[in-house]
Amino acid sequence: MPDFDNKTSDSIVVRQDVPLAPFTSFRIGGAARFFTTAGSLDQLRQSLLFARREGLPFCILGGGTNLLISDQGFDGVAIRMQLEEVQVSGNRIEAQAGVDLMELIRRTAELGLSGMESLAGIPGSVGGAVRGNAGAYGSCMADVTERVLALHAQSLELLSLEPGECAFQYRDSRFKRDPSLVVVSALLSLSPGDPGEVRQKMEATVARREARQLQCDLSAGSFFMNPVVTDPELIRRFETDQGVRCRECRIPAGWLIDQAGLRSTRVGGAMVNPRHANYLVNTGDASAEEMVRLASLVKRRVRDELGVVLREEVSSLGFTSESPRGQGC
Ligand SMILES: Cc1cc2nc3c(=O)[nH]c(=O)nc-3n(C[C@H](O)[C@H](O)[C@H](O)COP(=O)(O)OP(=O)(O)OC[C@H]3O[C@@H](n4cnc5c(N)ncnc54)[C@H](O)[C@@H]3O)c2cc1C
């Protein structure tokens, strides 16, 4: 186990009524009643204890790139994850949850460690990526994760979880299903490679993403998960239209939204991206309510016209007044 736990730190600073929109890629949402920053494990524990003492839910903010916050904000404690240490040992890297994923991938390229190149360009933190099992182009975090350290919000105990205990699935994990587990760090196992080749592969992935011109929009990436489709006629239609086989019976949500004729559909300032229909974007002044109404419209039309139920990939925060005591998103 890494010695991150041995660091002592200052006590936390608790701020009140802190606007959360600037901490998200959507740039949407109201303020948090309380806001703290966890720059050490000790500060993370203090923040969780503070929430417990106040009888309020908490929420971890990573890079905020997969998060829709309500216009009313969050009546709880938003904890900004800033554990940012990285330890390298041979072909293994222990990265704390607040490390920027892209920065980490650049570092692996410098070290000539291969395995994460296809994930290059996914914004956000290591913790957020582990929780959502982020992935792209056939790779995902689960492929390289050897062990996860998580802090249990109630017991404040540090748990060391093997991949089998993390329940990784497509854009899913135990950490997503059990919000009392806060990802603290991940041990990533990579393969030795040639630094030049690793860098080239990483840059090719970034170029491929940039060619889609989606990285600069105010969005949270894919709004919906790619659903498993059982209708053989719809699968045939997709494969004929796209000239590719569908993987594990999943059809891209963007294709389905497109088939339902929703590209460029708007609700106020929220819009279905004309370049990628699974990206719902804030065109500048969208409210969370408009984004939710647009998402509902998309779900309804895809269900009614294609018989497929879409599920959100984006996490939401502050949408009910009755959040369970625990993590609020
Ligand atoms: C332009 C763009 C492109 C994208 N492309 C992709 C892509 O190709 N593939 C992909 O998978 N995703 C993609 N995404 C979505 C997003 O980048 C990923 O889901 C990312 O891993 C989220 O990390 P984050 O740190 O920003 O999480 P946040 O948005 O900060 O948080 C998301 C959820 O995770 C929780 N969380 C965050 N950190 C922790 C932690 N340490 N412990 C426990 N819970 C935590 C939060 O409370 C929240 O519920 C894209 C997003 C954008 C804006």
Side-chain angles (χ1 to χ4, degrees), residues 38 43 50 60 71 81 85 91 103 106 124 126 150 152 164 170 180 183 208 211 213 223 255 265 274 276 284 315 326:
Q43 288 185 337
F50 173 78
I60 303 293
D71 297 318
M81 177 59 77
E85 282 189 47
N91 63 341
E103 287 300 313
R106 278 203 195 94
V126 166
H152 196 282
Y170 166 73
S180 59
V183 176
R208 194 171 166 187
Q213 296 181 309
F223 199 93
W255 184 83
T265 299
H276 186 321
S315 299

Side-chain angles (χ1 to χ4, degrees), residues 114-149:
S114 174
M116 298 183 81
E117 300 92 316
S118 300
L119 306 178
I122 299 180
S125 66
V126 166
V130 168
R131 175 200 180 260
N133 190 17
Y137 305 121
S139 291
C140 61
M141 285 301 288
D143 297 340
V144 291
T145 303
E146 194 173 301
R147 198 249 298 114
V148 175
L149 289 187

Side-chain angles (χ1 to χ4, degrees), residues 126-272:
V126 166
V130 168
R131 175 200 180 260
N133 190 17
Y137 305 121
S139 291
C140 61
M141 285 301 288
D143 297 340
V144 291
T145 303
E146 194 173 301
R147 198 249 298 114
V148 175
L149 289 187
L151 190 68
H152 196 282
Q154 271 80 49
S155 68
L156 298 183
E157 231 182 294
L158 204 51
L159 309 174
S160 174
L161 302 168
E162 304 294 314
E165 299 172 289
C166 295
F168 286 122
Q169 288 177 42
Y170 166 73
R171 301 297 172 272
D172 196 12
S173 75
R174 176 171 172 183
F175 314 102
K176 199 166 182 177
R177 285 159 188 253
D178 181 357
S180 59
L181 291 176
V182 179
V183 176
V184 163
S185 71
L187 179 64
L188 307 171
S189 178
L190 304 170
S191 317
D194 172 69
E197 276 175 27
V198 177
R199 198 184 57 242
Q200 230 173 22
K201 213 172 148 199
M202 175 191 82
E203 283 169 357
T205 309
V206 172
R208 194 171 166 187
R209 295 180 78 98
E210 282 174 354
R212 301 195 308 164
Q213 296 181 309
L214 298 168
Q215 298 292 102
C216 297
D217 290 325
L218 302 182
S219 80
S222 294
F223 199 93
F224 300 103
M225 292 194 251
N226 295 333
V228 171
V229 171
T230 48
D231 175 359
E233 175 51 27
L234 193 57
I235 293 175
R236 194 197 55 75
R237 230 171 97 188
F238 165 74
E239 291 183 341
T240 309
D241 184 56
Q242 295 294 296
V244 291
R245 302 300 303 269
C246 82
R247 275 195 239 144
E248 295 160 357
C249 290
R250 287 191 189 275
I251 289 189
W255 184 83
L256 295 165
I257 297 167
D258 213 11
Q259 294 300 301
L262 291 163
R263 216 170 256 246
S264 302
T265 299
R266 292 181 79 121
V267 173
M271 181 176 73
V272 176

